[in-house]
Amino acid sequence: MLLDNQLTPGDALCAGITLSAAGIVEAVKNSGLRGRGGAGFPTGLKWEATRNAAGTVKHVVCNADEGEPGTFKDRVLLTSYADLVFEGMTLAALAVDAQRGFLYLRGEYRYMLETLEAVLQRRREANLLGKNILGQAGFDFDIVIHLGAGAYICGEESALIESLEGKRGVPRNRPPFPVTHGYMQQPTVLDNVETFCQAALVVRMGADNYKVIGTSKSTGSKLISVSGDCPRPGIYEYPFGVSVRDILDDCGAVNPHAVQISGPSGVCVGESEFNRRLGFEDLPTAGAFMVFDDSRDMFEVARNYVHFFAHESCGFCTPCRVGTAMLQQTMDKIAAGHGTRHDLVEIENLDHVLQTTSHCGLGRTACNPVLHTLKHFRPAYENRLKSLDFEPAFDLDGALARARQMTGRDDAGAHLKTEDA
Amino acid sequence: MTISTNKHSEYLDPILVRRQYNASDLLQILREAQEHYGYIHSDAIDYLSQKLQLPRAKIEGVASFYSFLYLQPHGEYRVLFSDNITDRMLGNQALLEEMCHQLWLQPGKVSEDGLVSIATTSCTGMCDQGPAMLVNGRAITRLTHQRVQEIGHLIRNRTPLDE
Ligand SMILES: Cc1cc2nc3c(=O)[nH]c(=O)nc-3n(C[C@H](O)[C@H](O)[C@H](O)COP(=O)(O)O)c2cc1C
Ligand code: SF4
């Protein structure tokens, strides 16, 4: 559907002009399209709210921050379907009467900049951007590209807007939401790269034809970024409702025992759950699908994700800043063979604190990798635990190691006495 | 190495003009400014502070938030290994160690001659073609021991990245 679309630049836009602004909003609403960036908010409602918001200066922002580990579908869309992305943004502009668009491209994708600029330039020359687009008096819209600079948190919509305004990418208090108070506190439509592509398809094929694809609460198709232990990694497109098992079969996975759906902040699905289905009814996903075969140590997988969150916490709120660092320390302590049962309980307590006190989704999901892998792969943790009930998180002998290194001493007298020494 | 403020105006002025001296484009200005030396020179911040009428501390505050902006020299070649679990499963750690060994430096540090730095970064979105790295922003995928050796060699000979 999306990957084999036959649209040429301007097709969806012509259909949109025929529908008129209000008609586009209606079509997107009726299609049941939901955001592809993870949260799954109904796109039509967002566009309608921005359209109805007070103010004459409005914006359209495309979230191409694609920072969730294991996700790379936006990279493929921007490489091979850039026209469709920009077309979707232009339709949104027509729908809400916005004059200015931004593509917020993650710094890691800097190498795409020149090519994307060239696509924009071609669209200007074809009168698909600029003044009086396709001869429609007063339909003025243009898009600029802003680059991120290596901060995962800038994928969160309000942090992204802060970053667009040239500031540190710290999430804002919400509400108010970007639909009324976005870029420069003006009404802003902000959607994921794939959402804009899907919206263009909706307008071109009509809401009724679109919503028969997928399931009743998750209409249309979804791009899945498949990676990990499988012979055929890459981008796959499925109607929503596809089972985990079907995707594993298609990518040729041999002896898979877990799949991480939607990245570290998503869900770890074990073998007993491979019949579960992708969609907002069961397993919502931004698209990451990382496969682990039965040779993989799921504790190490969780530890990698925990390091990711600790590294990417923006530091704005104390529970998240300190909590993600503590979680990392605890996982490292377990990895070093110093963990106890008590540590596992502490992780659950920490999760509760982060769930209730974090300012944004990063903090709220930071414990998920551990809790989910514990559920399916508890032995991977327990095999590493000491039989002791409690051990201080501070490893004194470990701390002394640096002193030993500095003084060049490694004799028995320079070590703490331990049981097996 | 001292660079006069005057010298910074040479590459900063065109950026500022293109960005219309817009303080709300600060992140974009910093990013473009960095493309000149590979880091943002302290005198460049003074110059921007003056031209954009922003306190120096504000500019440094923004720059320090983003991991791809550097306020200190970070090597002519900045190598970042993608460190997603999928890269790890494909052996990125051994490749990183090997490259550090080959170029005589420690991860996260700049080589003594200022030529190169090697570090890890969060997933670069190349999990279908890992292990992956970014060298001065260019993506290099499907790394093997041999490819890493070759890249190390090209860096040591200061080969321009377009190869
Ligand atoms: C920590 C964090 C990171 C996020 N990263 C991204 C991202 O990289 N890309 C994205 O489209 N949405 C990301 N989101 C979701 C956005 O906040 C937002 O919901 C989405 O861009 C809205 O677009 P949609 O309705 O089209 O999905 C992130 C959210 C959080 C909390
Ligand atoms: S929860 Fe974490 S990432 Fe989110 S605002 Fe707070 S510190 Fe930043």
Side-chain angles (χ1 to χ4, degrees), chain A residues 60-73:
Chain A
V60 173
V61 176
C62 178
N63 187 342
D65 199 50
E66 187 154 75
E68 195 71 41
T71 316
F72 47 89
K73 53 153 185 113

Side-chain angles (χ1 to χ4, degrees), chain A residues 69-72 75 106-111 146-147 149-150 153-154 163-169 184 227-228 233-234 290 292 296 301 304-305 308 311-312, chain B residues 19 23-28 31 35 58 60-62 64-69 83-86 88-89 121-129 134 137-139:
Chain A
T71 316
F72 47 89
R75 180 198 91 215
R106 70 186 304 219
E108 287 82 348
Y109 294 167
R110 159 72 184 82
Y111 58 88
H146 269 220
L147 272 166
I153 193 59
C154 290
S163 183
L164 269 184
E165 293 178 0
K167 299 183 252 176
R168 295 161 71 92
M184 299 296 173
S227 66
M290 289 182 268
F292 303 98
R296 299 298 176 187
V301 174
N304 175 267
Y305 293 162
F308 166 76
H311 178 69
E312 297 292 352
Chain B
R19 297 279 169 190
S24 65
D25 275 0
L26 177 61
L27 173 58
Q28 304 307 309
R31 194 186 50 69
E35 289 190 0
K58 152 105 194 180
E60 285 174 337
V62 169
S64 62
F65 183 85
Y66 295 94
S67 60
F68 286 0
L69 293 182
D83 202 22
N84 188 19
I85 185 70
T86 52
R88 290 210 166 200
M89 294 184 332
T121 190
S122 298
C123 179
T124 58
M126 289 288 176
C127 327
D128 53 338
Q129 303 163 38
L134 292 170
R138 269 156 228 261

Side-chain angles (χ1 to χ4, degrees), chain A residues 30-54:
Chain A
N30 291 338
S31 71
L33 176 62
R34 296 172 67 165
R36 300 298 197 248
F41 191 83
T43 309
L45 290 184
K46 212 188 259 187
W47 291 19
E48 184 174 56
T50 311
R51 180 175 158 76
N52 294 337

Side-chain angles (χ1 to χ4, degrees), chain A residues 197-220:
Chain A
C197 292
Q198 296 283 355
L201 292 185
V202 165
V203 167
R204 179 58 211 244
M205 66 198 275
D208 290 337
N209 292 327
Y210 187 87
K211 70 181 174 202
V212 296
I213 304 158
T215 68
S216 62
K217 289 204 176 94
S218 316
T219 59

Side-chain angles (χ1 to χ4, degrees), chain A residues 7-288:
Chain A
L7 270 61
T8 53
D11 277 359
L13 210 46
C14 288
I17 288 171
T18 313
L19 280 177
S20 82
I24 296 172
V25 172
E26 273 316 295
V28 176
K29 264 170 76 178
N30 291 338
S31 71
L33 176 62
R34 296 172 67 165
R36 300 298 197 248
F41 191 83
T43 309
L45 290 184
K46 212 188 259 187
W47 291 19
E48 184 174 56
T50 311
R51 180 175 158 76
N52 294 337
T56 48
V57 183
K58 298 181 182 177
H59 313 275
V60 173
V61 176
C62 178
N63 187 342
D65 199 50
E66 187 154 75
E68 195 71 41
T71 316
F72 47 89
K73 53 153 185 113
D74 295 343
R75 180 198 91 215
V76 172
L77 288 174
L78 290 165
T79 309
S80 308
Y81 304 85
D83 264 300
L84 196 61
V85 180
F86 295 138
E87 190 120 346
M89 291 176 70
T90 313
L91 279 168
L94 178 59
V96 309
D97 195 14
Q99 302 77 31
R100 194 137 91 123
F102 292 96
L103 177 78
Y104 187 90
L105 183 68
R106 70 186 304 219
E108 287 82 348
Y109 294 167
R110 159 72 184 82
Y111 58 88
M112 295 183 193
L113 183 63
E114 283 77 15
T115 320
L116 290 170
E117 294 280 14
V119 175
L120 287 176
Q121 191 50 35
R122 241 192 7 250
R123 291 184 71 84
R124 283 181 199 115
E125 281 155 18
N127 194 214
L128 297 170
L129 282 176
K131 295 237 176 278
N132 303 323
I133 292 172
L134 290 177
Q136 300 294 302
F139 182 11
D140 302 342
F141 180 68
D142 212 330
I143 297 172
V144 295
I145 303 176
H146 269 220
L147 272 166
Y152 164 69
I153 193 59
C154 290
E156 194 280 337
E157 58 182 19
S158 64
L160 187 151
I161 291 171
E162 288 285 295
S163 183
L164 269 184
E165 293 178 0
K167 299 183 252 176
R168 295 161 71 92
V170 173
R172 294 176 175 173
N173 284 323
R174 298 176 317 154
F177 293 98
V179 288
T180 54
H181 295 74
Y183 182 68
M184 299 296 173
Q185 299 297 326
Q186 289 154 345
T188 302
V189 164
L190 187 150
D191 283 306
N192 173 258
V193 173
E194 186 184 350
T195 311
F196 282 116
C197 292
Q198 296 283 355
L201 292 185
V202 165
V203 167
R204 179 58 211 244
M205 66 198 275
D208 290 337
N209 292 327
Y210 187 87
K211 70 181 174 202
V212 296
I213 304 158
T215 68
S216 62
K217 289 204 176 94
S218 316
T219 59
S221 66
K222 181 78 194 88
L223 297 189
I224 304 295
S225 315
V226 178
S227 66
D229 292 315
C230 67
R232 292 187 293 277
I235 296 293
Y236 292 71
E237 181 176 16
Y238 293 99
F240 270 117
V242 64
S243 73
V244 173
R245 166 81 58 204
D246 285 341
I247 302 176
L248 286 171
D249 288 345
D250 289 346
C251 70
V254 181
N255 298 331
H257 76 155
V259 180
Q260 184 74 24
I261 311 270
S262 205
S265 57
V267 181
C268 178
V269 170
E271 215 173 328
S272 62
E273 299 178 333
F274 285 173
N275 56 345
R276 290 181 67 180
R277 293 175 183 279
L278 301 190
F280 300 104
E281 295 92 335
D282 182 13
L283 288 172
T285 179

